[in-house]
Amino acid sequence: MSTNIIEGNPTKKFFIEMITRDISIEDAIIDLLDNSIDGANKISPDDYSNLFVELTINDTEFSIRDNCGGFSLETAQKYAFRFGRPEEAPKVKNTVGRFGIGMKRSLFKIGKYFVVESESQQDHFKVEVNVDEWSKKTRQVVVNGNQNTTIDDWSFNYEIINEDSLGYKGTYIHVTELNNEVKDLFADDSFLSDLVESIQKLLNFSLLKGITITLNGRKLIGQKNELLFSDSHNPYYAEGVLGDVKYRIIAGLGEIGEPKKSGWYVYCNNRLILEADTSNITGWGVSPVPKWHINYVMFRGLLFLDSEETLNLPLTTTKKGIDATSEVYKTLLPIMKHAMISVLDFLKQIPQMGDKANEYRQLLCDNSERKTAIELKEWKFIEHAEKKFDAPELDLDIISQKKETVRIAFDANKNTANVAKIHSGARSYKELGGIVFDYYLQMEDINYEES
C-alpha cells in the first residue's frame, strides 16, 4: 500500500459554506416543505385531506411541524443525515424532495442550533445539533497500518424517545440561534408575504389536493392556473413516455389583462418548477418561435413531467429551474415549440381587428369555461386530435351579437352536473347553464324579452 498520500478531505466549515451559498432562505424553507409533501404522497397520493404542515417563523426561531408520516431511524442513519445520496438508497417514488443534501443544507442555512424529531410507524427519535460544536467535532483513526491521525467527525448523535410526545406520525423541526441575515428577513413582513405567495404558487397542486399549510397561523390557498375551453376552441395537447418519464404538453389561451401570467408553466412530479416562463429555455425567441410580445398575452402552456425516479427529471439542484441539457427536455422542446406556433399563429391575427381586438379578447374570456392545471393533467381529450390547436372563430359579427350579453358562471359538484347534463340532454356544461337559467326564469314566472 502506498504511503505517499496527501489527504484532500474538505473541512466541515468549508462544506457548510459551499452547500448553502447558492440557495436562498426562501428556497431552503420550501425544500423542507417538499419533504413534508413527499411524506403526504406516500400516505395518500391522490388526496391530502387531514394532513397538515405548520410553519412558525419569527426573528428568534423557525419551526416546521407536519403529520405526514415521519421517517424511521434507519432512514435517518442510512440516508436522511448523510451528505449526498448513496447509490443503494431506495427510490422515493414521485417526489421532488430527495434525501441528499436538502434537509441539512436548509437547516445550516437557517441557523446554528436545530432539533429534528420524527415519529414514524417504526420508531420515535430526536437529533439535536449545535452547528458550531458539530463543525469542530473530530475523531481518531488509524492510517497506514499504525499511524494515528485526527479527522473531521461527520456523524450526528440521536436519542430514542419512548413516549408519544408529538401526538401523531410526523416530523418536527425547530431551529434557533438564527443566522444574522435570517433574523433580519424573518422580522420583515414583506419577506413573509413573498414567502406566502411563493408557497401558494409552487405547491399549488398539493394545496388543491387538500393539504393544510399554515404560516404563523395563516392558512395558505393554492393559486389556480387556468386555460380557457369552449365549444369553439380547444387547446393543443401531446402526451407520451420517454424512458421512465411521463409527459403531457398542453398549450392554449388564458385570461387577458394578466401579462405576468403568460408563458410556460413546468411541473415536475406536481411541483411547479417554472412559472410563466417567456425565455429561450422554453423556446421563446428560438427560430421559428418569435420572442414574447404583448400580443401573445393570452398564451398559456403547461408541461407536466412525472417520474418515480426523481433523478430522471430535468431539475436543477435548487428545483427552481430546468436543466436544458437533459435528453428528456431536449426531446420535448420541439413539441413545445410546435404547440406555441399553433397558438401564436391565431393570436397574431387578433391585432388585425384594430380597435375591436381587445373587445374580441374579452369576449373569448367571457364565453369560455376554465380548467385548472390539476384538471388538465388528467383531462381526457376524447374528441380532440393530438398536436392540434382548435382556434376560435375570428368573426367581428360575434362581437356585435354579444355586446348585450353577460356570462353567468357557478361551480357545481361534477357528478351532479353530469347527471343534470344527461337528464337535460345538454351537449355541454355551457348549454346546461343556459337551460338552468331559462328554467329559473320560467319557474319564477319572470317575464323578459331578448334584445
Side-chain angles (χ1 to χ4, degrees):
M1 180 183 294
S2 173
T3 58
N4 299 328
I5 296 173
I6 298 174
E7 293 292 342
N9 298 328
T11 65
K12 283 190 282 188
K13 183 179 180 181
F14 171 79
F15 188 80
I16 291 170
E17 289 177 354
M18 288 303 295
I19 67 170
T20 59
R21 179 173 297 178
D22 295 329
I23 187 172
S24 69
I25 301 299
E26 181 181 286
D27 290 344
I29 294 170
I30 293 174
D31 239 1
L32 296 173
L33 282 167
D34 281 335
N35 288 338
S36 295
I37 298 302
D38 289 345
N41 192 58
K42 286 189 286 186
I43 294 172
S44 178
D46 300 317
D47 183 7
Y48 296 165
S49 301
N50 302 318
L51 298 176
F52 67 80
V53 187
E54 297 174 349
L55 287 167
T56 300
I57 299 176
N58 55 55
D59 60 0
T60 62
E61 65 175 336
F62 167 89
S63 72
I64 180 168
R65 179 192 303 270
D66 70 51
N67 67 339
C68 299
F71 57 98
S72 68
L73 178 59
E74 181 183 13
T75 297
Q77 291 172 318
K78 291 184 177 180
Y79 314 114
F81 283 89
R82 293 276 296 274
F83 290 94
R85 189 179 192 232
E87 289 188 8
E88 71 275 11
K91 287 183 180 180
V92 185
K93 296 182 178 180
N94 301 105
T95 71
V96 290
R98 291 173 287 177
F99 288 133
I101 61 171
M103 183 177 70
K104 285 82 63 184
R105 178 171 63 175
S106 296
L107 298 179
F108 289 143
K109 183 76 175 182
I110 296 171
K112 297 185 182 302
Y113 188 91
F114 62 83
V115 176
V116 178
E117 182 177 349
S118 183
E119 182 173 347
S120 68
Q121 294 288 351
Q122 292 80 13
D123 38 46
H124 187 181
F125 68 95
K126 178 171 70 173
V127 175
E128 197 166 343
V129 179
N130 181 313
V131 175
D132 286 339
E133 292 180 1
W134 178 83
S135 65
K136 299 171 185 175
K137 186 179 175 184
T138 61
R139 61 189 176 94
Q140 294 289 315
V141 296
V142 177
V143 297
N144 300 329
N146 58 4
Q147 183 179 346
N148 288 329
T149 189
T150 302
I151 63 171
D152 281 331
D153 186 348
W154 294 73
S155 64
F156 297 93
N157 296 326
Y158 67 87
E159 174 189 348
I160 294 294
I161 300 175
N162 294 317
E163 57 191 40
D164 184 17
S165 57
L166 287 181
Y168 45 79
K169 306 303 180 194
T171 303
Y172 172 62
I173 296 174
H174 189 217
V175 187
T176 53
E177 297 184 26
L178 304 179
N179 294 323
N180 289 332
E181 71 275 16
V182 176
K183 285 182 185 179
D184 294 338
L185 281 176
F186 285 3
D188 185 347
D189 288 339
S190 64
F191 168 79
L192 296 179
S193 295
D194 290 344
L195 178 61
V196 165
E197 185 176 347
S198 292
I199 294 171
Q200 291 182 152
K201 288 188 296 189
L202 297 175
L203 301 182
N204 65 330
F205 256 72
S206 299
L207 287 163
L208 294 172
K209 285 169 75 172
I211 198 165
T212 299
I213 300 178
T214 58
L215 173 55
N216 293 342
R218 174 184 174 181
K219 184 177 179 180
L220 307 191
I221 306 299
Q223 293 188 359
K224 293 181 179 180
N225 183 17
E226 298 176 321
L227 265 69
L228 304 179
F229 271 71
S230 80
D231 294 337
S232 65
H233 68 272
N234 284 287
Y236 176 110
Y237 88 100
E239 59 188 353
V241 179
L242 294 172
D244 182 47
V245 178
K246 181 181 178 182
Y247 70 88
R248 173 173 269 208
I249 295 169
I250 301 174
L253 306 177
E255 295 283 352
I256 62 169
E258 299 181 321
K260 291 183 179 180
K261 292 188 175 182
S262 178
W264 279 100
Y265 294 74
V266 180
Y267 295 86
C268 288
N269 283 351
N270 293 340
R271 163 75 135 77
L272 182 63
I273 305 302
L274 286 183
E275 178 197 18
D277 187 88
T278 55
S279 72
N280 58 11
I281 199 168
T282 51
W284 292 94
V286 180
S287 182
V289 179
K291 290 183 177 180
W292 189 90
H293 186 274
I294 193 64
N295 287 342
Y296 308 138
V297 66
M298 295 184 75
F299 177 85
R300 300 291 188 278
L302 304 173
L303 171 60
F304 300 104
L305 299 171
D306 293 277
S307 177
E308 289 190 355
E309 175 50 76
T310 314
L311 293 174
N312 292 336
L313 297 172
L315 279 168
T316 60
T317 58
T318 60
K319 293 176 283 189
K320 291 191 77 173
I322 286 293
D323 176 9
T325 66
S326 157
E327 291 301 321
V328 167
Y329 191 72
K330 287 194 291 185
T331 301
L332 294 177
L333 188 56
I335 305 176
M336 295 167 64
K337 290 168 67 177
H338 183 251
M340 294 168 75
I341 292 168
S342 301
V343 179
L344 299 185
D345 281 349
F346 164 72
L347 293 176
K348 287 176 185 176
Q349 299 177 58
I350 297 179
Q352 298 173 18
M353 304 177 85
D355 59 1
K356 297 291 186 182
N358 276 338
E359 198 171 351
Y360 177 74
R361 294 184 182 103
Q362 188 60 55
L363 176 69
L364 287 178
C365 297
D366 291 344
N367 291 279
S368 297
E369 298 178 19
R370 281 103 174 122
K371 297 194 187 301
T372 66
I374 287 184
E375 292 176 296
L376 289 169
K377 186 176 181 184
E378 305 298 335
W379 186 257
K380 306 297 183 185
F381 292 88
I382 298 173
E383 297 180 357
H384 181 44
E386 193 170 358
K387 297 186 179 180
K388 181 178 181 294
F389 173 62
D390 289 337
E393 286 187 76
L394 283 163
D395 190 345
L396 285 170
D397 290 337
I398 295 176
I399 295 176
S400 60
Q401 294 168 12
K402 294 291 184 179
K403 276 186 177 179
E404 303 302 322
T405 66
V406 296
R407 182 174 181 270
I408 300 173
F410 60 90
D411 292 327
N413 177 274
K414 185 180 292 186
N415 292 332
T416 305
N418 282 331
V419 171
K421 189 171 75 167
I422 293 169
H423 185 271
S424 67
R427 291 168 296 178
S428 66
Y429 292 127
K430 179 181 176 182
E431 186 177 340
L432 174 62
I435 293 171
V436 170
F437 183 69
D438 290 340
Y439 184 77
Y440 176 81
L441 296 176
Q442 179 183 344
M443 295 304 294
E444 295 296 322
D445 196 24
I446 299 174
N447 295 317
Y448 71 99
E449 293 183 0
E450 292 186 0
S451 55

